[in-house]
């Protein structure tokens, strides 16, 4: 199937400073952990400070920085179609967007090959994820989309799925339904990292939430929470000043996945 490998999966990068901070550390992390592949969710890296919703998404500058630092695949989510550089970003062969949307731009999966090691990365978006600011259509249900993908596409080597969604129950159910059919299901979108990594009975690794890579201030999600608080209270948050990044130290939300030559996860390690 594929030779054994070690994969670093990194959760939502929030802001260009976090992208630069991660890029600066990646060569050392790669060498220290003996990584074969690095997969990064970067759908929030365009945010630079006080910006409207079109400040979400990715920029060419941040994508270039991450790729030059050794990132092999960049995934997205509900903000894959936001930002000033969306068409240019989605044209990169290393950038994938959720596969379960009816959208011509970009691609939903990427197969990485080096020697006898093969990893296929798939990006999926749950309907539970917030669609505010998103210009793409409503995502199709994840299970039927997955079965259609399996039937229509070659998915060689070990398979890693970045499932971008709100519900840990949905992510857990999806991982359990695919146990033994994919190497790992890793959750993104909610930004607060879950502690445990699970290895399911038939060898699929599962992590409910990789966590955010960005500033830890306020609630830990990388943003000043004033808009989210106003929305919770039923207030008109559109009248507030634009979204701002949080302050505070930067943190890494990531796990290292050790995958054997059968495409099964044998070890999950939190990388801080």
């Amino acid at each position: 199937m594929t030779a054994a490998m070690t994969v670093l999966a990194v959760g939502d990068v929030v802001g260009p400073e976090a992208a630069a901070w991660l890029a600066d550390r990646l060569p050392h992390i790669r060498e220290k952990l003996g990584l074969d592949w690095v997969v990064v969710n970067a759908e929030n890296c365009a945010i630079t400070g006080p910006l409207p919703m079109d400040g979400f998404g990715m920029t060419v500058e941040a994508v270039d920085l991450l790729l030059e630092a050794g990132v092999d695949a960049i995934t997205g989510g509900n903000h894959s179609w936001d930002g000033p550089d969306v068409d240019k970003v989605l044209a990169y062969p290393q950038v994938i967007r959720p596969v379960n949307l009816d959208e011509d731009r970009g691609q939903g999966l990427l197969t990485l090959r080096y020697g006898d090691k093969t990893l296929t990365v798939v990006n999926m978006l749950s309907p539970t994820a917030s669609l505010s600011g998103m210009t793409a259509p409503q995502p199709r249900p994840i299970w039927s989309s997955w079965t259609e993908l399996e039937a229509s596409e070659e998915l060689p080597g070990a398979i890693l799925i970045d499932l971008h969604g709100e519900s840990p129950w949905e992510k857990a159910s999806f991982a359990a339904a695919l146990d033994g059919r994919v190497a790992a299901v890793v959750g993104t979108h909610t930004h607060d990292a879950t502690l445990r990594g699970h290895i399911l009975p038939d060898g699929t690794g599962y992590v409910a939430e990789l966590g955010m890579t960005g500033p830890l201030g306020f609630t830990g999600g990388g943003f000043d929470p004033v808009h989210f608080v106003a929305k919770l209270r039923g207030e008109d948050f559109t009248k507030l000043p634009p979204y701002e990044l949080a302050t505070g130290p930067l943190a890494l939300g990531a796990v290292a996945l050790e995958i054997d030559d059968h495409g099964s996860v044998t070890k999950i390690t939190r990388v801080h």
Side-chain angles (χ1 to χ4, degrees):
M1 184 178 185
T2 180
M5 65 186 81
T6 303
V7 180
L8 184 72
V10 181
D12 301 57
V13 177
V14 180
E17 183 183 359
W21 179 86
L22 175 62
D24 184 56
R25 285 156 177 76
L26 265 182
H28 171 70
I29 296 172
R30 190 158 201 155
E31 181 179 2
K32 182 178 180 180
L33 298 181
L35 299 174
D36 295 291
W37 310 110
V38 177
V39 179
V40 175
N41 187 298
E43 67 146 16
N44 288 309
C45 69
I47 304 164
T48 57
L51 284 173
M53 283 299 295
D54 62 6
F56 288 80
M58 306 182 205
T59 62
V60 167
E61 182 179 4
V63 168
D64 285 342
L65 192 65
L66 292 170
L67 294 176
E68 289 167 6
V71 174
D72 299 290
I74 296 176
T75 60
N78 55 304
H79 291 301
S80 284
W81 287 267
D82 296 331
D85 298 341
V86 57
D87 289 323
K88 294 179 180 178
V89 165
L90 290 178
Y92 278 73
Q94 303 95 330
V95 174
I96 62 174
R97 46 76 172 171
V99 71
N100 57 318
L101 287 102
D102 296 321
E103 167 66 56
D104 293 333
R105 290 175 293 178
Q107 57 186 346
L109 62 89
L110 171 64
T111 297
L112 304 168
R113 292 184 173 92
Y114 182 78
D116 56 356
K117 300 179 180 182
T118 304
L119 178 73
T120 293
V121 184
V122 180
N123 195 187
M124 301 196 78
L125 176 63
S126 166
T128 64
S130 170
L131 301 181
S132 58
M134 183 177 167
T135 56
Q138 179 78 2
R140 289 179 276 108
I142 57 173
W143 182 250
S144 59
S145 297
W146 172 259
T147 55
E148 290 170 9
L149 183 68
E150 272 191 318
S152 63
E153 296 282 348
E154 181 184 2
L155 303 172
I159 301 170
L160 171 68
I161 301 174
D162 173 350
L163 177 53
H164 203 73
E166 291 277 359
S167 169
W169 289 107
E170 179 186 51
K171 294 174 186 177
S173 300
F174 188 70
L178 291 179
D179 187 17
R181 294 161 65 179
V182 303
V185 176
V186 294
T188 56
H189 180 64
T190 60
H191 289 213
D192 274 318
T194 50
L195 178 62
R196 293 183 59 191
H198 306 263
I199 299 177
L200 303 180
D202 289 328
T204 293
Y206 160 64
V207 179
E209 175 59 48
L210 293 177
M212 169 212 59
T213 299
L216 279 176
F218 300 112
T219 60
F223 303 99
D224 183 329
V226 61
H227 292 79
F228 307 107
V229 170
K231 186 176 182 180
L232 179 72
R233 291 171 172 167
E235 299 166 359
D236 185 1
F237 64 91
T238 62
K239 295 181 179 179
L240 293 171
Y243 286 78
E244 291 194 36
L245 291 172
T247 56
L250 294 166
L252 174 65
V255 298
L257 303 162
E258 295 184 21
I259 303 172
D260 67 17
D261 56 5
H262 298 292
S264 297
V265 168
T266 58
K267 186 177 182 181
I268 303 173
T269 304
R270 265 278 161 206
V271 183
H272 298 289

